[in-house]
Amino acid sequence: MQSLVGPVYNGIAFAVLFECFLIVATFSFNLEACVINPSQKLTMKSHNFEHILLLEPGSNTTMPTYYHVMYISFRFEWKIAKECSNTTRPFCNLTKEYEDYTHTYIAMVQSSTEREELNSSILEFTPYTSTCLGPPAVNLTACPTCINVTIKLPASYLKEKSLIDVYQKLDYTITVESFDGKEKIPIKNETSQESFSYVVGSLHSNTNYCVSVAVAASLNRHSAPSALKCIITRSSTQPGYGIIPILNGGLVSLVIGIFLLVLYKGGFICLRSKPWPKVLVCLFIFNLPVHEPDPEKVCSVQVMYKEMEKTVWGYSYDDSESDSENSDEYTRHGILGRVPGSHAKSNTFMHQTTDCTSAESSSQAIEFLSSDAENSEEHQSVIRENESTSGEFFHPSSEVNSSSTSGLSNSACFNINLNTVMLGDPDKTWDDSATLISHQKDAVDLQDSSASDALVSKIFTDTVDVKKPDCHNISHEWQKPSVSDESDASDSEYVRR
Amino acid sequence: MFSRSLLQFCLVLLFSSEISCLDCNRIHVLQTRMNSESLERLEKMGGHFPFQCLTESKAFKPRDILKLRMSQQENAKGAIQQILQELFHIFNNNLTQAVWNEASIKEFQNGLHQQIEKLETCLSAEMEKEMTYLGNGNLLLTSLKLKRYFQTIDDFLKEKQYSLCAWEIIRAEISRCFLILDILTDRLKNEGTIFAFF
């Protein structure tokens, strides 16, 4: 099968080319020469139905030759050409004799001298098919890339008839010559006017072009082309190369843009503009082995409470009657903030020892501790009573120097190892206090103002392990302040969530 | 392999030339070209008109076919077809006495036959409609005129027993037939389009 495909294509291609050549060849204009010389001695020069019979003189030119012209049309009688009987002129005008142009005429010329009668010769001639369609009148006007050709048919020598009347349909051929070469342009003129114009386009500007026009009929291919007329096309003075092509280009690009926009809006084209979800971003970051994070500085902090009288938190209850009011006014805002105004300073002496792996953090911690020791406020971490999040709030005391506070918040010292956090009763020694080890137990230690001695900080290690029943308890406790009386009493009250 | 491609080449030529001529809307172009070709072949068939036959030509007096005038409503297709068929019929007669070249006679006959065929493929559908057309009285008149004209030619040939001079006279007269054919073919393009949906 493969072997057939190649030759098939070759064959078809060649055939098409050959066929095209044939078609072009057949439809090309075959214009014939205008001089008819069928006989040896007689020549007919006929242009636009003006027929002049040329009589060649005999070999003997010394003596005058008399010519006698007779003609006959088929089925008719012999007639004598009136102007050419016994004339010495070597030509004869037969225009009026050949009136019926569709017939075939035979002309017989008898040449004779004074002494002897020379041979006679005949000439057969059909005006309709043999007359030369004469050169048309051509006028040229130039435009930048074109030439406007005005063609006017020559007048015929027939009585009251023009060439169009005779032939009804005429074909014109315009030949354009330039330095590039010749080009023949056939025109099928559908109008039966004697004068019309044709625009030859697609030309170079500022070039010399020479134009010639020939006229022919379907049954009469004898034509005399007009003389070459030359003209130089004007230079294109227009600055723009046509506004219309530019507009077209803009319109097309606009249509394409609208189409793409419609596709985009319809969701067929997606530009990845949506950001990655945050979870995936974190995963990507964690998976990147590009940068080694700094090793976590682990500091163990031991907070020792020596004495505490009062701790005031940002709760909305009075200091004086903490017991009773605590239950009443304990709100569920949580331990979010402190109201410094309602504070009663606690005389807590806090001693913190830190054991930092890094010197930097230790220095910062010591600095803080020293400053903090003067103040009664402790550093505490506040846990937000929020089931959903495990927010961690570090509220440095406001009395602490802002400098140290600010430094503290960013201090690495307070990357506390969660496993070492211990919660317990401030009265007891630290060692005796129960340590909060397990992640599973989440306890919030809230102390009321009166009995509270120390702040117990609790860090939620794992919110996922929050037990639902604990939450219920807490909420239950919140809503029923009477229940919370028991919690108020004891310092080491653990509120379970 | 070359012979195969040559076969394809010839087949494509054959088919494409047939196909390209089937466009009925351009039939007048084809017919015009074939008219001029037939006229050339007719003139090439013989030489000049023999002088001795001039006297006999007086005996032949047909009506002038070029005086055939058709009204505007009439269809030129029928007239063209009739003329071509009559011409073909004439040249099927006894041509032995004519001194023309056999090959050129055959060429002329083939050309005529092709013209008739091409015209028939495009006009067969239309002709049936024409016959039922009510205003075809003028069409019949033209047809009768043509028929009488060609009958005159036929009678002349029979009378002169297909002699050389008779044939030369007829040949000269038939060349004028092509002039009227040319005029009628020109009218073809004005006579509406032929729908090629069949």
Side-chain angles (χ1 to χ4, degrees):
Chain A
M1 192 62 184
Q2 276 256 312
S3 59
L4 284 174
V5 171
V8 167
Y9 285 146
N10 288 337
I12 289 170
F14 280 122
V16 167
L17 282 172
F18 189 62
E19 197 69 35
C20 291
F21 173 72
L22 279 183
I23 288 165
V24 168
T26 18
F27 287 133
S28 64
F29 255 67
N30 296 325
L31 299 175
E32 292 184 26
C34 248
V35 179
I36 302 154
N37 192 9
S39 159
Q40 305 115 342
K41 286 188 181 178
L42 295 178
T43 309
M44 178 68 85
K45 271 196 175 175
S46 176
H47 289 268
N48 304 323
F49 297 102
E50 185 193 31
H51 319 290
I52 295 173
L53 187 65
L54 294 178
L55 316 166
E56 278 191 16
S59 55
N60 196 356
T61 53
T62 53
M63 292 166 68
T65 317
Y66 294 96
Y67 301 101
H68 187 72
V69 179
M70 285 167 48
Y71 70 95
I72 187 169
S73 170
F74 292 123
R75 307 187 307 276
F76 296 121
E77 299 289 330
W78 279 100
K79 290 183 185 175
I80 297 170
K82 291 167 194 172
E83 296 175 3
C84 306
S85 63
N86 284 334
T87 178
T88 53
R89 287 180 300 176
F91 61 88
C92 188
N93 192 339
L94 292 168
T95 308
K96 290 175 187 171
E97 320 296 340
Y98 290 179
E99 233 177 294
D100 200 348
Y101 51 84
T102 57
H103 286 106
T104 305
Y105 293 92
I106 299 175
M108 187 170 71
V109 178
Q110 290 167 331
S111 58
S112 61
T113 57
E114 286 176 357
R115 281 191 209 168
E116 55 183 315
E117 193 158 316
L118 299 173
N119 289 338
S120 54
S121 39
I122 56 170
L123 179 67
E124 190 178 327
F125 184 76
T126 310
Y128 187 89
T129 61
S130 305
T131 189
C132 216
L133 299 175
V138 175
N139 270 331
L140 302 176
T141 49
C143 35
T145 55
C146 62
I147 296 175
N148 191 5
V149 184
T150 309
I151 302 168
K152 192 178 174 195
L153 280 176
S156 82
Y157 287 86
L158 295 169
K159 279 184 189 174
E160 298 164 2
K161 273 199 174 182
S162 67
L163 287 179
I164 287 285
D165 296 334
V166 172
Y167 291 107
Q168 271 104 43
K169 193 183 74 164
L170 287 169
D171 302 324
Y172 302 89
T173 311
I174 299 179
T175 309
V176 180
E177 279 182 45
S178 72
F179 66 93
D180 282 346
K182 277 191 185 181
E183 190 194 344
K184 281 194 177 179
I185 306 166
I187 310 170
K188 296 273 178 181
N189 186 24
E190 301 298 325
T191 66
S192 46
Q193 294 166 358
E194 291 207 16
S195 175
F196 68 100
S197 64
Y198 180 81
V199 176
V200 180
S202 309
L203 301 174
H204 303 288
S205 59
N206 277 334
T207 320
N208 189 28
Y209 285 99
C210 295
V211 174
S212 162
V213 182
V215 184
S218 51
L219 288 181
N220 185 357
R221 309 307 296 173
H222 301 97
S223 75
S226 68
L228 276 177
K229 263 197 176 178
C230 298
I231 197 167
I232 300 174
T233 48
R234 282 206 311 256
S235 61
S236 53
T237 54
Q238 291 165 359
Y241 292 99
I243 298 171
I244 292 172
I246 296 168
L247 280 178
N248 285 341
L251 196 68
V252 166
S253 53
L254 186 71
V255 166
I256 291 171
I258 290 172
F259 181 67
L260 288 175
L261 189 71
V262 165
L263 283 183
Y264 175 65
K265 289 291 181 190
F268 293 102
I269 303 173
C270 296
L271 304 171
R272 291 245 182 112
S273 59
K274 294 177 190 170
W276 288 97
K278 284 181 187 171
V279 175
L280 295 179
V281 170
C282 293
L283 282 180
F284 286 153
I285 290 172
F286 292 141
N287 283 335
L288 291 173
V290 178
H291 146 76
E292 282 282 331
D294 295 335
E296 194 176 287
K297 294 161 192 162
V298 176
C299 314
S300 58
V301 177
Q302 286 189 341
V303 179
M304 315 261 298
Y305 297 100
K306 295 283 171 116
E307 206 177 294
M308 207 155 46
E309 292 182 0
K310 212 190 251 192
T311 55
V312 181
W313 318 120
Y315 305 126
S316 55
Y317 56 86
D318 281 346
D319 302 333
S320 56
E321 298 176 351
S322 59
D323 286 340
S324 58
E325 292 175 13
N326 187 21
S327 58
D328 294 336
E329 299 176 16
Y330 194 91
T331 60
R332 289 179 67 185
H333 299 313
I335 318 156
L336 286 180
R338 288 218 203 146
V339 183
S342 57
H343 261 145
K345 288 189 180 178
S346 60
N347 301 326
T348 310
F349 179 78
M350 190 174 69
H351 175 68
Q352 288 182 342
T353 57
T354 60
D355 186 16
C356 290
T357 54
S358 64
E360 178 195 23
S361 55
S362 61
S363 60
Q364 284 180 353
I366 289 167
E367 193 183 311
F368 171 71
L369 288 172
S370 56
S371 59
D372 208 340
E374 297 170 359
N375 302 323
S376 59
E377 304 298 330
E378 308 102 24
H379 171 73
Q380 49 179 304
S381 61
V382 182
I383 303 147
R384 181 154 65 146
E385 289 286 329
N386 197 336
E387 296 176 5
S388 60
T389 63
S390 60
E392 200 173 325
F393 292 89
F394 287 95
H395 288 267
S397 53
S398 54
E399 279 80 1
V400 176
N401 286 340
S402 60
S403 59
S404 61
T405 307
S406 60
L408 186 66
S409 62
N410 297 328
S411 167
C413 264
F414 290 90
N415 287 342
I416 297 169
N417 192 353
L418 300 176
N419 291 326
T420 59
V421 170
M422 294 187 286
L423 300 173
D425 193 20
D427 292 331
K428 301 174 189 172
T429 59
W430 192 251
D431 296 328
D432 294 339
S433 63
T435 59
L436 184 66
I437 306 167
S438 162
H439 331 285
Q440 292 161 4
K441 285 189 180 175
D442 298 328
V444 174
D445 196 7
L446 291 173
Q447 298 180 343
D448 47 5
S449 57
S450 58
S452 60
D453 294 322
L455 170 69
V456 176
S457 65
K458 163 72 172 73
I459 299 166
F460 277 11
T461 57
D462 196 354
T463 52
V464 178
D465 298 332
V466 169
K467 292 180 185 173
K468 293 293 168 108
D470 295 334
C471 298
H472 273 290
N473 291 335
I474 292 167
S475 58
H476 182 68
E477 282 169 355
W478 287 131
Q479 281 169 357
K480 294 184 179 176
S482 58
V483 182
S484 65
D485 287 343
E486 348 175 57
S487 63
D488 296 338
S490 141
D491 290 340
S492 60
E493 187 78 21
Y494 289 95
V495 178
R496 302 219 171 219
R497 290 183 63 203
Chain B
M1 191 176 114
F2 179 71
S3 62
R4 276 197 199 130
S5 65
L6 191 65
L7 177 68
Q8 319 299 335
F9 176 72
C10 296
L11 282 175
V12 171
L13 272 186
L14 190 71
F15 296 147
S16 60
S17 61
E18 279 300 307
I19 290 163
S20 64
C21 292
L22 285 180
D23 185 8
C24 286
N25 288 326
R26 303 281 294 168
I27 189 73
H28 66 277
V29 174
L30 183 67
Q31 287 290 321
T32 306
R33 186 160 62 88
M34 293 181 97
N35 274 345
S36 81
E37 281 172 5
S38 293
L39 186 59
E40 277 177 34
R41 289 194 201 106
L42 190 68
E43 286 174 354
K44 264 196 319 185
M45 268 196 320
H48 295 295
F49 188 78
F51 226 58
Q52 63 271 24
C53 299
L54 276 173
T55 50
E56 284 192 46
S57 68
K58 293 174 201 172
F60 181 57
K61 290 188 196 301
R63 287 174 183 268
D64 194 354
I65 190 170
L66 284 168
K67 296 256 188 332
L68 185 76
R69 290 285 175 260
M70 291 170 66
S71 60
Q72 286 300 316
Q73 291 86 16
E74 274 182 271
N75 212 333
K77 297 183 198 102
I80 293 171
Q81 202 155 11
Q82 188 177 0
I83 293 171
L84 286 172
Q85 280 171 346
E86 293 280 4
L87 287 177
F88 190 72
H89 171 72
I90 286 169
F91 274 86
N92 272 339
N93 286 324
N94 188 359
L95 282 160
T96 51
Q97 291 196 48
V99 293
W100 302 327
N101 190 3
E102 283 285 331
S104 53
I105 294 170
K106 290 289 178 201
E107 267 184 42
F108 179 74
Q109 284 175 325
N110 286 337
L112 271 183
H113 186 69
Q114 265 194 354
Q115 252 185 293
I116 294 165
E117 289 234 325
K118 295 280 188 276
L119 207 59
E120 266 181 9
T121 54
C122 283
L123 302 182
S124 55
E126 297 246 342
M127 287 301 285
E128 289 168 16
K129 281 190 223 163
E130 286 287 327
M131 288 307 159
T132 55
Y133 183 54
L134 284 175
N136 61 353
N138 284 329
L139 191 71
L140 281 176
L141 187 63
T142 307
S143 175
L144 282 173
K145 283 184 191 172
L146 285 171
K147 201 151 182 61
R148 199 180 337 172
Y149 172 79
F150 284 105
Q151 192 65 48
T152 315
I153 291 176
D154 229 358
D155 292 343
F156 181 77
L157 277 171
K158 275 181 194 159
E159 187 192 320
K160 299 293 178 183
Q161 291 161 358
Y162 302 100
S163 65
L164 170 75
C165 281
W167 274 118
E168 287 288 348
I169 291 163
I170 296 303
R171 183 170 75 99
E173 184 60 33
I174 282 173
S175 66
R176 299 186 75 237
C177 283
F178 282 98
L179 304 189
I180 191 75
L181 268 179
D182 192 52
I183 294 167
L184 290 173
T185 310
D186 196 47
R187 281 183 62 162
L188 263 186
K189 72 170 190 281
N190 300 329
E191 285 175 2
T193 55
I194 300 167
F195 293 103
F197 297 132
F198 53 87

